[in-house]
């Protein structure tokens, strides 16, 4: 299973970076849509990816930097089924349902493609507002691969939930770990906790912050994943 990074804060030369993430999973699925459709379209063109090939989009949570490109994609391709945590706002759900082939509201783990799941939403409080967030799980032969949007409920909590549900080790975790402007020691404890729990590879990006990337790079050494636009990861 391939994961292509088409949008993130970090980019190889020539790509358009910004705030948020968007990962192309397998042949026809997108996880999150970044902040801006124009940026996604530019990066997809460079990588030879065609939005007409998409049949599924899964969203982690409702923040603008993860949903910003959705409308533009759906206006190009009306044959896409969109999966979102059930706690998304009614306004968002109504608009998306009017553009998508189908809108699926997720309350528990759901298999959206062979060996690919959107997790049961985890609730948290963010800036005095209630928020639901899910993450994508690839159930590979080597173990579980977690793709995270922002990890507002806590990356350690998300890893624990996935391990408890699948009863399987975590092979890799990549995406936003929500560690920007977090104390150095807390970042170190988080990295050590993930490693202790059996997460073999880690790739913090987006809202993780540069200090977290540096700390994870030190702690994970050769098992650190450099997540940036243009990178392609293969998880078999």
């Amino acid at each position: 299973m391939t994961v292509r990074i088409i949008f993130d804060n970090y980019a190889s030369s020539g790509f358009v970076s910004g705030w948020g993430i968007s990962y192309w999973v397998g042949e026809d699925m997108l996880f999150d849509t970044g902040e801006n459709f124009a940026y996604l379209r530019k990066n997809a063109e460079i990588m030879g990816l065609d939005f007409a090939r998409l049949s599924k989009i899964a969203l982690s949570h409702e923040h603008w930097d993860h949903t910003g490109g959705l409308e533009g994609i759906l206006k190009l391709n009306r044959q896409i089924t969109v999966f979102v945590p059930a706690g998304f706002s009614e306004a968002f759900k109504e608009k998306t349902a009017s553009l998508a082939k189908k809108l699926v509201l997720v309350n528990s783990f759901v298999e959206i493609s062979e060996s690919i799941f959107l997790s049961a939403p985890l609730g948290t409080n963010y800036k005095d507002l209630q928020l639901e967030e899910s993450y994508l799980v690839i159930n590979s032969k080597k173990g579980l691969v977690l793709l995270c949007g922002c990890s507002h409920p806590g990356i350690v909590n998300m890893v624990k939930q996935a391990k408890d549900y699948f009863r399987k080790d975590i092979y890799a975790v990549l995406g936003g770990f929500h560690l920007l402007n977090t104390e150095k020691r807390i970042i170190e404890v988080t990295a050590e906790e993930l490693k202790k729990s059996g997460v073999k590879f880690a790739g913090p990006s987006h809202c993780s912050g540069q200090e977290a990337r540096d700390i994870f790079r030190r702690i994970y050494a050769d098992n650190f994943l450099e997540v940036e636009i243009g990178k392609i990861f293969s998880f078999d």
Side-chain angles (χ1 to χ4, degrees), residues 149-202:
C150 263
S151 304
H152 289 290
I155 186 61
V156 172
N157 294 332
M158 294 161 80
V159 164
K160 183 179 185 304
Q161 183 196 42
K163 288 185 68 174
D164 288 346
Y165 181 82
F166 288 95
R167 301 295 178 182
K168 194 170 181 179
D169 290 335
I170 309 292
Y171 181 69
V173 180
L174 58 154
F177 290 4
H178 201 58
L179 296 170
L180 185 66
N181 299 323
T182 300
E183 275 184 48
K184 180 179 179 180
R185 183 55 192 154
I186 293 176
I187 298 173
E188 290 174 336
V189 168
T190 301
E192 290 163 357
E193 182 72 18
L194 291 185
K195 194 168 186 181
K196 183 180 178 182
S197 72
V199 176
K200 188 171 182 181
F201 292 89

Side-chain angles (χ1 to χ4, degrees), residues 28 34 40 45 61 75 77-78 93 95 101 123 144 160 175 187 189 203 208 223:
D28 64 348
L40 286 188
E45 287 174 355
H61 62 298
K75 286 182 176 179
N77 181 353
R78 296 295 184 96
K93 289 186 283 193
K95 185 172 185 179
K101 178 181 179 180
L144 304 177
K160 183 179 185 304
I187 298 173
V189 168
S208 306
N223 287 0

Side-chain angles (χ1 to χ4, degrees), residues 28-33 55-62 66-67 70 74 79-88 92-93 96-97 100-113 116-119 121 134-136:
D28 64 348
M29 182 186 306
L30 204 64
F31 177 62
D32 281 353
T33 63
S55 65
K56 294 171 280 291
I57 293 177
L59 298 178
S60 61
H61 62 298
E62 198 173 341
H66 297 263
T67 64
L70 180 65
L74 293 179
Q79 299 305 308
I80 296 175
T81 298
V82 179
F83 298 80
V84 304
F88 271 40
F92 186 96
K93 289 186 283 193
T96 301
K101 178 181 179 180
K102 183 179 180 181
L103 177 66
V104 178
L105 305 181
V106 175
N107 285 297
S108 58
F109 278 87
V110 59
E111 188 170 21
I112 60 179
S113 189
I116 302 177
F117 298 77
L118 191 63
S119 78
S134 291
Y135 51 91
L136 206 69

Side-chain angles (χ1 to χ4, degrees), residues 35-76:
E35 67 165 277
N36 184 296
F37 172 65
Y39 297 167
L40 286 188
R41 180 167 54 188
K42 175 67 174 176
N43 294 337
E45 287 174 355
I46 296 172
M47 297 181 72
L49 299 170
D50 185 355
F51 293 119
R53 289 164 46 190
L54 290 174
S55 65
K56 294 171 280 291
I57 293 177
L59 298 178
S60 61
H61 62 298
E62 198 173 341
H63 286 168
W64 62 275
D65 51 329
H66 297 263
T67 64
L70 180 65
E71 184 176 347
I73 295 172
L74 293 179
K75 286 182 176 179
L76 283 179

